[in-house]
Amino acid sequence: LPAQVEVDHTFKILLVGDSGVGKSSLLLRFATGGFEELVPTIGVDFKAKIIELGGKRIRLTVWDTAGQERFRTLTSSYYRGAQGIILVYDVSRAETFDSLADIWLREVDMYGTVEESVKMVVANKTDLAETREVSTDMGVAFARAHGCLFVETSAKGNVAVEQAFEELVHKILETP
Ligand code: GDP
């Protein structure tokens, strides 16, 4: 990580959501442009990337729960100081969508710096059209009801991953 590079902002971004929805894959895709079958790891992991947006240079540190979510042991320290929170579900598994309301949004609101962080719902695995269980309309409605941005992605197909992060950062920049 080129820590010596001067940046205008540094933003902490979190990925949350059920195990297997594609958090690590989104992070890998965003950070390195790659996609690989991932071996689940335990412990919190983050990757950093410098992007240019709106004439500003921004260092993003993107945090992934890396398996901790299976034990429901994310703590307040994981959420502390996050400017952006990405709530991820898998469009081919409805229960991961239900978990956003039942678990993840509640935890974000409990621990997160709610007022200051921008929230985004990411509907991942849109390439699995044949086995899709959650419609775009359902995702949009949920995101709107909870004041979140909404983007549909495929980490596997490299669809809209970059766009999701950029939209989030854009919103963070315009949030006072
Ligand atoms: P995490 O537990 O939320 O970090 O999920 P992972 O990133 O480990 O992904 C879980 C599984 O879903 C892995 O086998 C990935 O290869 C796969 N996966 C992730 N994103 C996509 C996607 O957009 N489409 C498809 N078809 N599979 C994906």
Side-chain angles (χ1 to χ4, degrees):
L1 171 67
Q4 72 281 7
V5 173
E6 286 211 22
V7 295
D8 298 296
H9 303 281
T10 298
F11 294 145
K12 177 181 176 181
I13 308 228
L14 306 181
L15 290 159
V16 301
D18 282 358
S19 187
V21 296
K23 298 181 300 297
S24 304
S25 300
L26 288 164
L27 177 56
L28 189 73
R29 176 63 83 186
F30 174 70
T32 67
F35 181 87
E36 60 189 59
E37 291 297 318
L38 295 166
V39 180
T41 48
I42 305 296
V44 173
D45 180 30
F46 81 94
K47 290 187 167 51
K49 182 172 176 171
I50 292 171
I51 66 166
E52 311 237 355
L53 203 69
K56 302 277 188 206
R57 186 176 288 163
I58 301 145
R59 176 181 289 112
L60 297 183
T61 59
V62 185
W63 295 70
D64 177 18
T65 54
Q68 288 291 104
E69 75 278 23
R70 276 177 283 161
F71 310 107
R72 305 263 176 270
T73 53
L74 298 185
T75 57
S76 57
S77 62
Y78 179 68
Y79 288 96
R80 196 168 297 140
Q83 283 82 10
I85 300 176
I86 301 178
L87 300 123
V88 187
Y89 68 93
D90 171 351
V91 299
S92 73
R93 285 197 296 140
E95 72 268 23
T96 67
F97 177 66
D98 297 338
S99 287
L100 291 196
D102 296 343
I103 298 165
W104 301 110
L105 202 59
R106 293 172 64 165
E107 192 164 296
V108 165
D109 289 343
M110 183 164 60
Y111 289 133
T113 45
V114 187
E115 303 84 49
E116 299 114 77
S117 39
V118 175
K119 288 177 281 184
M120 169 178 271
V121 172
V122 163
N124 190 41
K125 306 199 190 182
T126 52
D127 57 287
L128 299 178
E130 306 270 286
T131 52
R132 185 162 180 149
E133 293 182 352
V134 187
S135 71
T136 300
D137 286 351
M138 288 171 74
V140 168
F142 176 82
R144 194 168 290 161
H146 297 285
C148 306
L149 300 169
F150 179 77
V151 178
E152 293 196 318
T153 62
S154 168
K156 185 175 186 178
N158 195 16
V159 176
V161 177
E162 192 107 2
Q163 180 199 323
F165 282 95
E166 286 189 3
E167 260 185 52
L168 183 65
V169 170
H170 198 83
K171 182 79 178 188
I172 293 169
L173 282 171
E174 60 183 32
T175 301

